[in-house]
Amino acid sequence: MQSMKKQNVSDAVIRRLPRYYRYLDDLHLKGSVRISSSVLGEKMGITASQIRQDLSCFGEFGQQGYGYNVDELRGEIGRILGVDRSHRIIVVGVGNLGRALIQNFRFNDAGFLLEAAFDVSPALVGTEIAGVPVLDATELERFIQTHKPDVAVLTVPRAAAQQMADRLIGLGVRGFWNFTNVELASQADNVRFEDVHFADSLLTLSYRITER
Amino acid sequence: MQSMKKQNVSDAVIRRLPRYYRYLDDLHLKGSVRISSSVLGEKMGITASQIRQDLSCFGEFGQQGYGYNVDELRGEIGRILGVDRSHRIIVVGVGNLGRALIQNFRFNDAGFLLEAAFDVSPALVGTEIAGVPVLDATELERFIQTHKPDVAVLTVPRAAAQQMADRLIGLGVRGFWNFTNVELASQADNVRFEDVHFADSLLTLSYRITER
């Protein structure tokens, strides 16, 4: 791979990178050693030229007539995504959704170390969920100063979302995996919100099953 | 609006439709009556010409020099998405995630009637969650024959995913909101899978916070 060019990478390309990673990971697990852009494209429902164009944003991959080495390309895309960086993450809000993510989501596979969860409920504080300690939300200041998490999973109630985001941003958190359905805003530099909008997904399905 | 042209609508356009709907809904709630494509585009982080091009797939909207009537466009996009169809939906698998969706997700706002949930756990069967009855999974056959749900929310464990999907497809379910992280497949006609891949979302955030 040549040197990385990250300027001007479009949002659409960035959104496809995790899909490439997921498909390559799956191919790797199934024992595939190499794959052509046309076969990969067919699996993913995109064109071979789209794949080549997307990857060209980041360097030169694959070889004419050989295709891609699955494990190599998976590794390169993983590094582009930052999977090798061991980002630190906390969960803020341990309702059903927070608990579901702690118990079932494979943070490690995405390159994240889940260090702690926070809630205000006395019934939860002091417990562990899947080995992750649930701490009192009043401990956020102390914890963040010492552990410096990169990302907060925001699973607090809607009404608390912006205020909690502001508080965490003030403490230095720069990444938010936002499940609150609130469009969060910040004037601070380098703050990134990744919103999970369940409704967008269900409405896409609604479109596809609606007979016209 | 002129007659609907739904052929050849790209996946990217379909995925933007729910976002348009969400932004217009928000504008409507805030009392906005009209909006130009450039102001809407600015809010959404896309260009005005992209908006006009997307909407032109479905007919003629808005007026030169006036822009769009917020409530009208919201209604039109809602109808395109099928929000007015009262699709019927069931939840299959009442773990933490299933429970979180039943309690917190606004199925009605997306035009879905959540009729029942299903699980195999004796501790859950016979209970209600937020007014939704939890039925025994053995009742799926009888229930689906009489209620004919359009969509199943699949929140069963990974290992049970494809088998459960096959069973539901055999019973006539055609839409799957799939949270299992398994890529489901079917030979049956008109079956639609909408996969929610949490990891894709977190990896997009990982890319954006990774310093290079």
Side-chain angles (χ1 to χ4, degrees), chain B residues 58-107:
Chain B
F58 302 99
E60 282 183 19
F61 301 89
Q63 260 182 284
Q64 192 74 36
Y66 174 87
Y68 303 110
N69 178 303
V70 169
D71 191 36
E72 245 176 61
L73 185 58
R74 174 184 161 281
E76 293 289 0
I77 292 179
R79 274 183 285 280
I80 292 167
L81 287 169
V83 170
D84 57 332
R85 300 297 180 96
S86 292
H87 290 123
R88 289 178 298 281
I89 195 165
I90 58 175
V91 170
V92 182
V94 187
N96 289 307
L97 184 59
R99 179 182 293 267
L101 290 169
I102 295 168
Q103 288 190 329
N104 304 323
F105 184 74
R106 301 178 186 185
F107 286 96

Side-chain angles (χ1 to χ4, degrees), chain A residues 11 80 96 103 208 212, chain B residues 11 80 96 103 208 212:
Chain A
D11 196 63
I80 293 167
N96 290 307
Q103 289 189 328
R208 294 195 165 116
R212 294 177 183 85
Chain B
D11 195 62
I80 292 167
N96 289 307
Q103 288 190 329
R208 293 196 166 117
R212 295 177 182 85

Side-chain angles (χ1 to χ4, degrees), chain B residues 3-78:
Chain B
S3 71
M4 220 175 264
K5 305 172 261 174
K6 101 177 240 282
Q7 64 278 22
N8 299 324
V9 177
S10 78
D11 195 62
V13 175
I14 295 169
R15 296 231 158 252
R16 276 194 292 272
L17 286 176
R19 290 191 65 218
Y20 289 125
Y21 187 70
R22 180 153 48 82
Y23 276 84
L24 289 164
D25 202 42
D26 196 48
L27 286 165
H28 178 61
L29 286 173
K30 286 179 177 153
S32 291
V33 173
R34 66 172 175 164
I35 193 163
S36 66
S37 51
S38 55
V39 173
L40 182 59
E42 206 170 296
K43 275 182 184 293
M44 295 181 62
I46 56 180
T47 65
S49 78
Q50 177 79 76
I51 294 177
R52 289 191 297 265
Q53 197 183 314
D54 285 355
L55 296 181
S56 73
C57 299
F58 302 99
E60 282 183 19
F61 301 89
Q63 260 182 284
Q64 192 74 36
Y66 174 87
Y68 303 110
N69 178 303
V70 169
D71 191 36
E72 245 176 61
L73 185 58
R74 174 184 161 281
E76 293 289 0
I77 292 179

